[in-house]
Amino acid sequence: MKTRALLLVALLLPSLAQADDYAGMLGYLNQSRIDGRALAGASGAIAVNQVAGDINTQANLVGMAQGNQARVDIDARSTSSRNSVLLDGPLHASAHLDGQALQGANGIATINQTSGIANASMNVVRATLAREGIRESDDEALAESSVTASAGGQGRAGNGLAAGTRSVGVAASALQGFDGVLQLNQIAGAGNDTANILGMAVHGNP
């Protein structure tokens, strides 16, 4: 009898280990992190899309034009239908920018960092160098057709459980000494939409 009992325990152990590994894997897949010295000292146009999860959409769009009648039109749309994920358990999602990431970098940096389900994030930079003088971009100007940005309809998270943990953050050591234009979207969760839109026009040489 003792031998049979030991045999049963031995047969159950691999199944339990696999279950633990699967649960740990699900937790890992909903964590996005930029760490260490990633992109430290980088220069120019820096674009990062980092995602962990299901049916998430991301975009980094930069448009520039120079001339007497310079104009930049950006039209970004993301649509999908009948995409859904059932939340059948707690969602533990996190998105973090840590370490010395982007320290001393310069230029235009557009970063989307997402963990979770059915989220959308977008960064848009539009710049023109023309003879029309300097114009400030207020809310009304940004809503013009020259910058059309829509990230809706990217899917849905279903009707499962929304319990769990959400965490986003930027470490104090990250981004130190960055010089230029920085757009950062961080999402942890389900069904979120975020966007950064910058439009500017300058006269002559900057």
Side-chain angles (χ1 to χ4, degrees):
M1 294 297 293
K2 290 183 179 179
T3 303
R4 290 178 182 176
L6 290 174
L7 179 60
L8 288 174
V9 171
L11 291 175
L12 287 173
L13 284 176
S15 298
L16 292 174
Q18 290 176 358
D20 290 342
D21 290 344
Y22 182 69
M25 180 184 70
L26 290 180
Y28 176 77
L29 290 177
N30 284 313
Q31 297 178 13
S32 58
R33 181 181 299 274
I34 301 174
D35 207 340
R37 291 188 52 80
L39 298 171
S43 179
I46 305 166
V48 178
N49 287 319
Q50 186 182 50
V51 63
D54 295 299
I55 55 176
N56 296 289
T57 59
Q58 298 176 321
N60 290 312
L61 307 173
V62 178
M64 296 184 178
Q66 178 179 355
N68 292 337
Q69 297 178 344
R71 179 183 176 89
V72 175
D73 294 327
I74 296 177
D75 189 339
R77 302 174 189 273
S78 174
T79 60
S80 63
S81 61
R82 298 180 182 178
N83 289 330
S84 63
V85 174
L86 179 63
L87 295 177
D88 56 357
L91 174 64
H92 301 285
S94 66
H96 288 269
L97 190 64
D98 291 328
Q100 293 80 44
L102 283 100
Q103 276 193 5
N106 64 85
I108 299 176
T110 54
I111 302 171
N112 292 309
Q113 198 176 22
T114 302
S115 293
I117 300 173
N119 300 291
S121 59
M122 178 170 55
N123 294 307
V124 177
V125 176
R126 180 197 63 182
T128 58
L129 180 61
R131 296 182 180 276
E132 302 175 3
I134 298 175
R135 297 193 307 271
E136 294 183 359
S137 295
D138 54 16
D139 292 340
E140 183 178 353
L142 290 177
E144 292 178 352
S145 60
S146 56
V147 175
T148 303
S150 173
Q154 73 278 11
R156 57 191 180 89
N159 297 318
L161 300 176
T165 60
R166 314 286 191 271
S167 174
V168 299
V170 178
S173 56
L175 300 173
Q176 288 185 356
F178 179 86
D179 186 17
V181 176
L182 172 66
Q183 293 182 328
L184 173 63
N185 290 311
Q186 285 185 311
I187 297 176
N192 300 285
D193 293 341
T194 63
N196 294 308
I197 300 176
L198 172 64
M200 57 186 176
V202 298
H203 170 67
N205 295 324

